[in-house]
Amino acid sequence: MTQAYCVLLPGCRPEPAGAGLHAAAYRCWYESWSEAFRELGKPGPLYSDAFTRQKEMCALFMGEQCVALSFMTPVDLEYPLARADSYFHNWSDRALAALARDGNLVMLNGNFTVHANARRAAPGFSLKNVLLGLCLERFLESPATAMTGAVRKTRNVHGLVRRWGAVTLEEDKPSGHGDLVDLVAFYKPEVRRRPPLEFDATVRQLWDARIVVRPQARSPWD
């Protein structure tokens, strides 16, 4: 069986050594979300900026193939314009206040993706559980005080996140894509004291051996 491994990637301009991994992650995201939008009756174009504008993403690979990934971007809610970010289009003032319960620096987790082909050729563990566990490892090592989720109810992701310590802030919110989502927050105290899960050892093994692809040091505008 091909070995799975975790990769942290920038949204754009990866260092040259990580260009192949970055391209594979983009293919995984593009193919998965093109199909998801077709299922929701939204077959229009999927633009690359939804991928490239992200600060970071956590990805799972099998060999050269990216099989799962999720976006992770920090936001400081103390900055008023941050609350007008398009990510928060369906978040009420009450939900935003609850998100900032422990502080204003939060991590936006979005486009949680498991490629359809990977679901049929699983690596011996639940990809969605392990991907979420890896995202939480990144969150726990970051200065963020909370990590968001807008989880699709049609895929029962709302049940998955609760096992990992998520707190539901609002339920049954229109996603803007024709389905409903629950808005959730992960806070560090709740994540650290949740009951043990059967995926913990796999997550820790993958996280400890993670590959970090950094963005290119210099911008072409410098």
Side-chain angles (χ1 to χ4, degrees):
M1 182 174 64
T2 304
Q3 185 73 28
Y5 56 100
C6 171
V7 184
L8 296 181
L9 293 153
C12 66
R13 303 190 71 250
E15 58 190 359
L21 294 169
H22 188 265
Y26 179 78
R27 284 193 299 273
C28 176
W29 171 81
Y30 184 87
E31 291 171 1
S32 298
W33 284 92
S34 294
E35 178 60 28
F37 286 152
R38 279 194 292 270
E39 290 176 1
L40 294 168
K42 297 187 66 173
L46 186 60
Y47 296 107
S48 66
D49 62 324
F51 183 94
T52 58
R53 69 187 178 199
Q54 305 303 320
K55 175 70 173 178
E56 188 176 276
M57 56 197 70
C58 182
L60 261 174
F61 278 75
M62 300 284 292
E64 297 180 352
Q65 302 299 313
C66 179
V67 295
L69 64 93
S70 194
F71 296 161
M72 309 189 76
T73 296
V75 167
D76 186 352
L77 294 177
E78 188 174 10
Y79 180 51
L81 295 185
R83 295 172 180 253
D85 190 290
S86 62
Y87 180 92
F88 295 121
H89 71 95
N90 57 353
W91 288 64
S92 68
D93 290 343
R94 184 185 68 82
L96 281 168
L99 179 62
R101 184 194 77 179
D102 297 341
N104 284 311
L105 186 61
V106 302
M107 184 173 285
L108 307 185
N109 184 267
N111 278 218
F112 193 87
T113 304
V114 176
H115 198 283
N117 291 344
R119 297 188 202 117
R120 293 190 288 269
F125 54 77
S126 165
L127 285 167
K128 60 184 180 181
N129 274 283
V130 170
L131 176 62
L132 179 55
L134 291 167
C135 291
L136 289 169
E137 290 292 329
R138 178 69 183 98
F139 162 58
L140 290 172
E141 290 193 4
S142 78
T145 57
M147 186 177 86
T148 67
V151 295
R152 295 176 66 190
K153 306 199 79 166
T154 54
R155 301 285 186 185
N156 195 35
V157 183
H158 62 301
L160 166 76
V161 297
R162 292 189 185 108
R163 297 185 67 200
W164 288 88
V167 175
T168 301
L169 304 182
E170 291 186 332
E171 294 185 281
D172 296 327
K173 302 287 290 186
S175 70
H177 302 304
D179 59 348
L180 298 176
V181 295
D182 286 354
L183 306 181
V184 305
F186 295 91
Y187 305 107
K188 288 179 177 176
E190 284 84 346
V191 171
R192 288 184 172 125
R193 66 171 178 252
R194 56 125 178 112
L197 294 171
E198 63 268 33
F199 310 103
D200 289 341
T202 300
V203 169
R204 174 47 57 183
Q205 180 182 10
L206 291 168
W207 182 250
D208 287 346
R210 67 192 178 277
I211 296 169
V212 179
V213 175
R214 303 193 183 281
Q216 294 183 35
R218 289 184 61 85
S219 163
W221 299 105
D222 291 340

